[in-house]
Amino acid sequence: MPFTLATWNINSVRLREGLVARLMSEEAPDVLCLQECKSPVEKIPLEQFASLGYGHIVARGQKGYNGVAILSRQPLTEVAAHDFAALGHARHVAARLENGVVIHNFYVPAGGDIPDREKNEKFGQKLDYLTQMRDHFIAEKPQRAILVGDLNIAPREDDVWNHKQLLKIVSHTPIEVDHLAAVQEAGDWVDVTRADIPEGPLFSWWSYRSPDWQNADKGRRLDHVWATSDIAGVAHSSRVLRDARGWDQPSDHAPVFATFDL
DNA sequence: ATGGTGGTGCCACCA
């Protein structure tokens, strides 16, 4: 049975409950992974989502910051929720579908403004978070697994609007790209979005500070869909729902989709 | 420069 998955940094699930409902109604992914819910789990509007067919959830939350949730039309079993780098943040949760596929939902730390761990503690925490992700996937080799989320790194030249101009900007620095590549290698993860759409600019985030974001198009691809190599071959129909960035009171991220014939 | 949250009433912190 094919299933479609979407990942979306929602930037407050309570403020944007209506946008989540719209995505559920209009696009109807089987599984919807959210990041930056900015809400304790008990305050997520679950009844509204259940009424739209998303009766299953696993989540980690905290007041005001971070927060990740997996909403599903089919049953889920929570299998993990790691606090990499011991930040005390709700940045990861993982669940298993009935077909055995495990879905990891991540919100990787943004890392602050200065790409130097001596001058900016947050940048060090981001690198440490990625290192511990790598070590985890070395210790526990994932199989039949999908990893999605806001990884806060745009790894490729065509994942940003201007490669040269962003080389010293957090999210596109070589050291972050190297750390992300190490995570990918450790888990034998395939970048499903880029396997599907190999060439050309592809963005999932446009700053709120960018006026005329649509025409200026100064975006970055921060949101990712990966799969282990044993199932990556059955993925297809990847896309970014750019329209959602233009909805009323939008998130600064657009949802990213993929379908798996499993 | 824009926007969300939370604790107080505009400001700090985060992205």
Side-chain angles (χ1 to χ4, degrees):
Chain A
M1 280 289 287
F3 76 95
T4 295
L5 171 151
T7 179
W8 196 10
N9 178 318
I10 192 61
N11 189 16
S12 175
V13 71
R14 293 163 70 193
L15 187 72
R16 295 191 228 284
E17 174 183 348
L19 297 192
V20 175
R22 179 170 175 183
L23 189 85
M24 288 172 164
S25 304
E26 295 183 2
E27 303 295 334
D30 297 283
V31 176
L32 175 58
C33 297
L34 299 175
Q35 304 86 33
E36 272 206 279
C37 298
K38 293 188 172 177
S39 172
V41 175
E42 62 271 20
K43 290 195 174 179
I44 296 174
L46 295 181
E47 287 185 14
Q48 150 99 328
F49 301 152
S51 74
L52 292 165
Y54 295 81
H56 303 93
I57 181 174
V58 301
R60 282 292 185 276
Q62 60 186 94
K63 193 164 72 172
Y65 303 102
N66 310 313
V68 286
I70 306 176
L71 295 154
S72 174
R73 296 180 170 281
Q74 25 175 310
L76 294 173
T77 308
E78 184 178 313
V79 293
H82 294 294
D83 178 23
F84 293 126
L87 301 173
H89 296 173
R91 296 185 177 275
H92 171 256
V93 71
R96 183 179 288 111
L97 299 174
E98 284 182 324
N99 63 9
V101 170
V102 171
I103 298 172
H104 290 272
N105 184 15
F106 278 100
Y107 175 48
V108 171
D113 287 332
I114 303 167
D116 179 346
R117 71 186 309 155
E118 302 304 319
K119 296 176 184 161
N120 168 21
E121 183 185 32
K122 289 197 175 72
F123 193 72
Q125 290 172 349
K126 181 178 197 174
L127 299 181
D128 292 347
Y129 193 94
L130 292 160
T131 297
Q132 292 194 16
M133 280 175 74
R134 178 201 68 185
D135 291 346
H136 171 74
F137 289 124
I138 290 171
E140 267 182 55
K141 270 286 190 202
Q143 292 190 326
R144 290 178 65 79
I146 296 168
L147 183 158
V148 304
D150 178 2
L151 305 185
N152 265 315
I153 296 170
R156 293 169 34 139
E157 294 193 15
D158 53 0
D159 290 339
V160 294
W161 65 277
N162 186 318
H163 168 62
K164 282 187 93 171
Q165 210 161 321
L166 288 172
L167 273 170
K168 293 181 177 176
I169 301 297
V170 172
S171 74
H172 193 60
T173 64
I175 191 169
E176 291 170 87
V177 172
D178 288 350
H179 277 63
L180 189 67
V183 177
Q184 198 175 339
E185 189 184 346
D188 195 19
W189 297 106
V190 175
D191 179 344
V192 162
T193 309
R194 278 306 189 183
D196 246 8
I197 309 171
E199 296 293 324
L202 186 65
F203 310 141
S204 65
W205 174 86
W206 296 261
S207 173
Y208 284 126
R209 298 185 213 188
S210 175
D212 195 20
W213 69 271
Q214 190 122 226
N215 289 310
D217 203 18
K218 294 183 173 180
R220 306 178 200 168
R221 188 171 71 104
L222 303 180
D223 302 276
H224 298 265
V225 178
W226 292 356
T228 47
S229 59
D230 54 347
I231 61 167
V234 303
H236 59 90
S237 304
S238 297
R239 64 196 171 100
V240 176
L241 187 66
R242 190 181 166 116
D243 281 0
R245 180 61 178 78
W247 291 352
D248 281 345
Q249 276 207 301
S251 167
D252 46 354
H253 294 252
V256 181
F257 288 76
T259 301
F260 293 82
D261 291 342
L262 285 168

